[in-house]
Amino acid sequence: MENENVMSEKDSLRIIQDMIDATKHSLLQDGVIYIYWGWIILFCSLGEYLLMLTTFKYPYLTWLVMPFAVFRYMHYVKQRRAGSRVKSYIDEYMSVLWRAFIISASTILCLFPVIGYERVLPLIIILYGIGTYTSGGVLRFPPLTYGGLANYPLAIAAFFTSFQNQLIILSIAVLVSYIIPGYLLKANFKSRNV
Amino acid sequence: MFENLDPLLHQQLRLAIISLLMNVREAEFTYIREKTGATAGNLSVQLSKLKEANYIEINKSFKDNYPMTVCSITDTGKAAFDTYVAALTKYIGKHQ
């Protein structure tokens, strides 16, 4: 693209198309965020479930890893932003979406004395559905979209079962909507960047 | 054949720059250079021309003690690109 050559209409269209292709990928398409949060939540929920099967008094203590996970994640995001040379609209949208998710999830968690602890996890699973279904649509990645959709029947099932079983449903939810799509996204990202 | 096309955009590198910036909020100079395959010198010249026409904004700062040039498209640039694409579409429609 060095010369002031006369361009044909095909040249113009090709250049426009090339630049659309070159910029359409988002940093979030490497799947790291989905894998990270997927494993953290799976560890907490499955850990609590397993501890509930024992005589341990405080099985919910597994969730204490969350503040550390959040801190580590914020550090990761900060590093990634610093290393990024472009701000895409997709990244910006996704950032706003997941911020809204965190605010919504925090609101539900704060309201658990009012709404009842047995309704908290089903509502959180619905939020997973919003986050991952929307992300799948924006990133145009069907496994994330379908994984997101799977959260809705899981959330419905969770409303009709005990808290202990809800932990298993939550584990399944993060497996199908975060971990599996996350690894598929990562594989897709790697194959595209080879 | 392209008498209605904006001459500022109807050049390979300038069109590539504007097309790229249409798709992102902002991009660093090195990113644009990598994606367009242009040399630093040529890219600087074309960016200056687009800036003079108020099609893009260029912000210069420092990141980790290294100079950083960040470019973004302006509303004027977006409108010019839309007009260019519309003229191109019209031309293609006429000649198909």
Side-chain angles (χ1 to χ4, degrees), chain A residues 1-16 19-25 81-89 92, chain B residues 2 10-16 19-20 22-28 30-31 34-36 38-39 42 46 49 63 81 84 88 91-92:
Chain A
M1 292 181 189
E2 298 286 313
N3 305 317
E4 300 257 350
N5 292 336
V6 175
M7 291 193 294
S8 68
E9 77 281 5
K10 281 182 183 168
D11 292 333
S12 298
L13 286 175
R14 181 184 49 76
I15 289 167
I16 294 167
M19 289 304 109
I20 291 170
D21 289 342
T23 53
K24 73 180 176 186
H25 301 304
R81 275 192 190 149
S84 172
R85 293 177 301 149
V86 64
K87 272 188 196 168
S88 76
Y89 291 112
E92 213 168 73
Chain B
F2 281 135
H10 197 57
Q11 190 270 348
Q12 292 187 10
L13 183 51
R14 289 195 293 268
L15 180 60
S19 304
L20 186 151
M22 278 295 285
N23 294 300
V24 297
R25 176 73 68 197
E26 58 183 39
E28 275 184 37
T30 52
Y31 179 86
E34 181 189 301
K35 296 295 178 189
T36 58
T39 62
N42 193 22
Q46 305 310 335
K49 286 183 184 177
K63 188 164 103 179
F81 181 80
Y84 181 87
L88 198 64
Y91 173 84
I92 292 167

Side-chain angles (χ1 to χ4, degrees), chain A residues 77-101:
Chain A
V77 169
K78 197 180 165 189
Q79 269 186 329
R80 192 148 84 164
R81 275 192 190 149
S84 172
R85 293 177 301 149
V86 64
K87 272 188 196 168
S88 76
Y89 291 112
I90 290 181
D91 288 337
E92 213 168 73
Y93 173 78
M94 296 289 271
S95 170
V96 174
L97 170 73
W98 288 106
R99 249 181 279 156
F101 170 87

